[in-house]
Amino acid sequence: MKNESDHEIEHRVDRLEREVERLRKQFEGRQADAASAAAAETDASDAPADPLWFVNTLGRYAPGVVMMAGAVEVPVGPVRWQYGLHADDLLARDWSELARPIEALGHPVRLELVRRILNGTQTTAELLELDQFASSGQLYHHLRQLVSAGWLTSPRRGHYEVPVSRIVPLLVLTMIAAS
């Protein structure tokens, strides 16, 4: 009859075996990728040949990872950005802490403010010219919500910008909402 300690050891060995197998597959995938890259270089224009090229590449390099990435040109300049987390870590996380940043974008006026700022409108004077605001108080209320949630920064008084680290996530969120 097995005791609790034996079950714990079996459980740990099982987890280690799964992890070794995952790493072996990842290593083999990288070797195959290196060989195919040496045989022929591929650029983004070749991507449509495989409609799941990004997912397939991600699966070879980082199985189990959920990722967002982008290479975009915005008024502040080019942005190349990527971020990923293991799905297990995301599922184990307390999602209630995510409510505030998501909630901050949950108002049509705030979404429009972020879009305008991302497109180059940066001063409160320019933003007040938009039809959505009856007063500067309303504008500042929405801007405070976006700044406190991290979607905007104010590098100097009366000027706002989207932090570079938030540009691709904002575009991903809009892509998700549009799909």
Side-chain angles (χ1 to χ4, degrees):
M1 184 169 176
K2 294 183 180 181
N3 63 29
E4 194 170 285
S5 152
D6 291 337
H7 287 293
E8 175 64 22
I9 290 170
E10 284 180 5
H11 179 68
R12 291 176 70 190
V13 168
D14 186 45
R15 277 195 345 237
L16 286 170
E17 287 174 344
R18 285 194 311 264
E19 182 64 13
V20 167
E21 181 62 19
R22 185 188 70 76
L23 291 170
R24 184 188 63 75
K25 287 179 181 177
Q26 184 177 354
F27 178 74
E28 288 175 356
R30 286 185 182 180
Q31 285 183 318
D33 289 339
S36 65
E41 286 194 21
T42 303
D43 63 28
S45 64
D46 295 332
D50 178 6
L52 295 175
W53 65 272
F54 184 80
V55 173
N56 291 332
T57 302
L58 180 63
R60 284 191 300 272
Y61 286 103
V65 169
V66 175
M67 184 165 235
M68 61 181 144
V72 296
E73 188 76 32
V74 292
V76 296
V79 174
R80 297 175 59 86
W81 190 87
Q82 70 181 36
Y83 184 73
L85 290 172
H86 280 276
D88 292 341
D89 295 337
L90 284 167
L91 292 170
R93 185 177 186 169
D94 178 10
W95 287 11
S96 65
E97 66 190 39
L98 306 175
R100 189 167 185 219
I102 293 170
E103 182 181 48
L105 293 173
H107 193 285
V109 170
R110 289 195 284 269
L111 283 173
E112 181 61 14
L113 280 171
V114 171
R115 187 183 73 79
R116 295 287 181 116
I117 292 168
L118 191 53
N119 280 310
T121 304
Q122 297 179 331
T123 67
T124 52
E126 293 170 319
L127 294 169
L128 277 169
E129 293 175 7
L130 302 175
D131 295 334
Q132 285 95 344
F133 306 107
S135 71
S136 60
Q138 288 178 335
L139 173 63
Y140 285 112
H141 165 74
H142 291 297
L143 289 171
R144 272 192 307 273
Q145 295 284 325
L146 292 165
V147 169
S148 73
W151 296 111
L152 296 179
T153 60
S154 182
R156 61 188 191 276
R157 187 174 170 92
H159 288 78
Y160 293 89
E161 60 188 37
V162 176
V164 171
S165 65
R166 291 294 198 151
I167 292 172
V168 171
L170 280 166
L171 294 173
V172 169
L173 285 171
T174 58
M175 184 176 62
I176 291 167
S179 65

